[in-house]
Amino acid sequence: TVRKGMTMPYLDHVAIWVADLDSARDFYSHWFDGHANGLYENPRTGLRTHILHFAETPAGERGTRLEIMTRPELAEGREAAGLGWAHVSFGLPGREDVDRLASYMSEAGVPVVDGPRETGDGYYEATVLDPEGNRVELVASDYSDDVALRPAF
């Protein structure tokens, strides 16, 4: 268990590194009825992402999502070993919950490798490593629909 009285996180999204962002978006849209949001581009790092939503959810709720991500070195084939799953993300109600859980995990010896911080595309998150070195995001789920549902082109 985490800590008595803490809100338990839920699965928010998973992310995968791809070489061809458009082909990946089209594949998940066609075969799994995914609906991509607008493209996010970070001019400083070259990161480009889409987040796909798959199922209709009750009003006011968000379903689990798939984030597909690329960088120039992946698209150019210089870093093929970097392709594949990037992270799994667990949602918490708000920023304070992310801060609290990241602090508890750090105190317990779990490596906190990024954040807590606000990302360039508006999420508040921290990243920790599981025992195998896999990245696990803790994300505040109080992000706006403008962030979650970036308009498509």
Side-chain angles (χ1 to χ4, degrees):
T1 65
V2 179
R3 290 244 175 162
K4 189 171 179 135
M6 280 191 63
T7 302
M8 293 303 299
Y10 65 92
L11 185 63
D12 184 80
H13 70 274
V14 295
I16 187 169
W17 288 108
V18 300
D20 186 333
L21 191 65
D22 293 337
S23 290
R25 180 200 57 214
D26 294 347
F27 173 84
Y28 286 102
S29 295
H30 176 79
W31 292 105
F32 299 101
D33 199 25
H35 304 277
N37 66 357
L39 177 68
Y40 168 71
E41 295 182 277
N42 184 319
R44 186 176 54 81
T45 64
L47 174 71
R48 298 172 57 237
T49 73
H50 279 291
I51 295 180
L52 289 98
H53 307 261
F54 293 94
E56 293 297 322
T57 55
E61 293 184 21
R62 295 186 189 105
T64 300
R65 301 166 301 146
L66 173 66
E67 182 176 14
I68 52 174
M69 310 184 319
T70 194
R71 290 180 183 257
E73 60 270 18
L74 294 175
E76 295 165 7
R78 291 183 286 159
E79 217 178 277
L83 297 175
W85 294 107
H87 62 260
V88 60
S89 179
F90 285 91
L92 289 155
R95 291 173 180 229
E96 300 81 18
D97 302 290
V98 170
D99 293 343
R100 187 176 308 113
L101 184 54
S103 176
Y104 290 155
M105 294 176 86
S106 178
E107 290 169 11
V110 175
V112 178
V113 296
D114 194 16
R117 68 183 180 94
E118 185 167 323
T119 64
D121 54 348
Y123 293 94
Y124 187 79
E125 65 188 34
T127 304
V128 302
L129 298 180
D130 75 7
E132 296 293 323
N134 296 301
R135 296 173 73 86
V136 178
E137 278 185 1
L138 311 172
V139 65
S141 60
D142 60 356
Y143 48 81
S144 71
D145 283 343
D146 290 339
V147 170
L149 304 171
R150 271 190 312 266
F153 298 88

